[in-house]
Amino acid sequence: MKVAIIGLGFRLGYLGQVFKQMDPDFEIVGYVDPAPAGMERLNEAGISPGRSYETPQQLIESETFDLLMIGSPNHLHLEHIRIGLEAGLTVFTEKPIVVSIEESYALAALLQKHGHDRLLVGLVLRYSPLYKDLRQAQADGLLGDVVSIEASEHIAPYHGAFFMRDWRRYSRYAGSFMLEKCCHDLDLYNGVVGARPRFVASFGGRKSFTPENAPENTGVNDLHVYHRKPSGWLGSDKVFDSDGDIIDYQTAIVEYENGASMTFHTNLNVPDEFRRFCVIGSKGMAEGDFVRGFMDVHDAHSSEKRVANRYQAPSLTSHHYGADEQMAADVFAHITKGTPLPVSALDAIEAGILALAMDEARNGRKVVDLAPVWRQYDACLHGSGSAQAKSA
């Protein structure tokens, strides 16, 4: 499989290695990136990045390939997706798919015109063995109707410090932390509920990565932990005095259109990190943790443990609990054989809309009703949206 890349950052540098492992004939024919942070990973793996081009248009006009991969900063995704679709290409974009409600409308209108099957999205957790088993338990009737969900994504201090130092610290480029990092998780639970979110409330802010908590102010001299993960574009050394506008903790409450509810919690300063869920249904409950590698399912009537699964990543260097490897294999099968994928561009837009609603609720200290958003989104998706929304 031959690919071209717009935005050769750390993520696509890593995925280049993974795709090469899944497909020995994987080849990058060219890329567009003024400062390709992912180049080092490709060099380490002996993978050529192909030729460098100044613009996406030059790349597309000069090379022949099977898939256009987009790993540019989030605020550029919509334009790069547009360029790819208008050129008649199949496009893979990293998450989040876009960075605002207005861009969600614009992308819906774009997909209405070009079809959404040609746009793939890197919501990689859909490919994880744990999530597949969760959905299988649900399909087997072990949970019954989903009633409520308690879920979280927490990251370690070194990872939180990366967000405070990287371009992702600016919401104008990333969208928000909830969108940039947690859209994975929100997509998973949207899928489990099987309905769209309707009402959203949220609270949060920054209380850990603040000047008074800087290690030098608390008698700690080892600062290496907060610079362990390198930053790329617009990188900074500042952690506890970051000029970014992202939060370092946030909680949200969601009610779905079918009446199910969810609480979601994220924190960037969790020393013993976890990424867990408890899905409680009318017939049973499923409890699991992606980081700690388990999923248990209990029957509501008998309290019997019906499922007791344990998981381990395929290697110490594997990201996302083995999901990247499965995603690469599935994308390759999709491109070469037309095999269906477990997640769509529409799933990605809807997860993004939920994340954006969480931030609107947090910023405005209000409950957000998403009904008007879904009406406009559906209108754009089916070709009856306003011209303003379509051109946003």
Side-chain angles (χ1 to χ4, degrees):
M1 183 172 71
K2 294 183 177 182
V3 307
I5 291 176
I6 301 175
L8 182 52
F10 293 122
R11 176 62 180 160
L12 288 196
Y14 172 71
L15 283 185
Q17 292 180 313
V18 176
F19 271 78
K20 186 68 173 179
Q21 293 169 6
M22 298 299 109
D23 172 23
D25 295 324
F26 175 81
E27 178 185 353
I28 303 172
V29 299
Y31 70 94
V32 178
D33 194 320
M39 187 70 75
E40 184 177 352
R41 274 195 175 275
L42 294 181
N43 290 337
E44 290 173 354
I47 300 172
S48 169
R51 282 185 280 188
S52 173
Y53 291 91
E54 292 292 322
T55 68
Q57 291 84 354
Q58 291 175 352
L59 171 63
I60 291 169
E61 292 169 0
S62 303
E63 302 288 351
T64 301
F65 47 89
D66 304 298
L67 183 67
L68 177 66
M69 300 187 74
I70 296 173
S72 51
N74 304 344
H75 72 294
L76 300 175
H77 285 183
L78 178 61
E79 182 58 22
H80 292 156
I81 291 169
R82 186 194 310 276
I83 290 170
L85 292 180
E86 289 180 348
L89 302 171
T90 299
V91 179
F92 172 97
T93 183
E94 260 305 317
K95 58 79 191 168
I97 197 163
V98 289
V99 298
S100 69
I101 298 294
E102 291 72 21
E103 285 194 354
S104 300
Y105 296 152
L107 181 55
L110 193 65
L111 297 180
Q112 191 278 329
K113 180 179 180 181
H114 296 284
H116 58 79
D117 292 340
R118 286 199 288 117
L119 180 58
L120 321 182
V121 64
L123 284 172
V124 67
L125 290 188
R126 284 267 189 155
Y127 297 85
S128 65
L130 194 162
Y131 185 68
K132 288 184 174 182
D133 288 348
L134 172 61
R135 294 308 306 272
Q136 187 61 54
Q138 186 177 16
D140 290 343
L142 300 183
L143 304 182
D145 295 332
V146 174
V147 177
S148 61
I149 298 174
E150 177 183 324
S152 61
E153 182 188 7
H154 298 320
I155 62 176
Y158 84 89
H159 202 172
F162 162 77
F163 277 93
M164 293 297 157
R165 294 167 29 244
D166 192 61
W167 59 265
R168 294 167 177 84
R169 69 187 184 273
Y170 299 122
S171 60
R172 63 183 179 273
Y173 299 131
S176 73
F177 179 82
M178 187 65 78
L179 178 69
E180 154 63 24
K181 190 72 175 71
C182 302
C183 64
H184 277 311
D185 304 78
L186 302 181
D187 168 62
L188 297 186
Y189 307 121
N190 283 353
V192 168
V193 172
R196 286 173 170 174
R198 172 67 190 273
F199 297 105
V200 183
S202 185
F203 303 92
R206 193 189 304 181
K207 294 178 69 68
S208 294
F209 290 103
T210 58
E212 59 268 25
N213 293 323
E216 59 267 30
N217 294 336
T218 58
V220 178
N221 295 320
D222 182 11
L223 304 181
H224 171 69
V225 63
Y226 300 108
H227 297 82
R228 185 190 312 170
K229 188 175 175 67
S231 57
W233 177 57
L234 294 181
S236 168
D237 289 332
K238 295 183 177 182
V239 177
F240 293 88
D241 53 349
S242 169
D243 64 347
D245 59 358
I246 62 169
I247 53 88
D248 63 22
Y249 73 99
Q250 188 170 347
T251 58
I253 305 171
V254 182
E255 182 177 67
Y256 286 85
E257 290 178 339
N258 64 0
S261 66
M262 176 175 72
T263 60
F264 187 81
H265 178 207
T266 187
N267 192 297
L268 285 65
N269 191 45
V270 180
D272 189 11
E273 63 183 1
F274 55 92
R275 193 175 200 169
R276 66 190 180 200
F277 61 84
C278 184
V279 178
I280 303 172
S282 57
K283 295 182 179 179
M285 64 176 277
E287 183 179 10
D289 191 318
F290 289 92
V291 173
R292 299 176 183 180
F294 78 90
M295 186 186 75
D296 296 331
V297 178
H298 286 80
D299 180 80
H301 176 68
S302 65
S303 297
E304 176 189 356
K305 185 180 287 188
R306 304 288 299 278
V307 176
N309 291 351
R310 299 299 180 262
Y311 305 88
Q312 186 172 353
S315 72
L316 293 176
T317 59
S318 177
H319 294 184
H320 296 113
Y321 334 110
D324 284 307
E325 291 81 355
Q326 188 62 57
M327 182 178 73
D330 285 6
V331 168
F332 175 71
H334 179 77
I335 296 298
T336 58
K337 303 176 183 178
T339 305
L341 296 173
V343 64
S344 71
L346 303 185
D347 295 324
I349 296 174
E350 295 188 10
I353 287 173
L354 175 54
L356 291 162
M358 288 177 175
D359 282 294
E360 180 185 350
R362 178 180 61 83
N363 290 326
R365 291 186 173 275
K366 63 182 180 180
V367 175
V368 173
D369 182 355
L370 280 171
V373 175
W374 296 129
R375 283 195 295 270
Q376 184 63 65
Y377 168 71
D378 286 336
C380 293
L381 194 59
H382 297 103
S384 57
S386 69
Q388 180 180 3
K390 290 183 180 183
S391 62

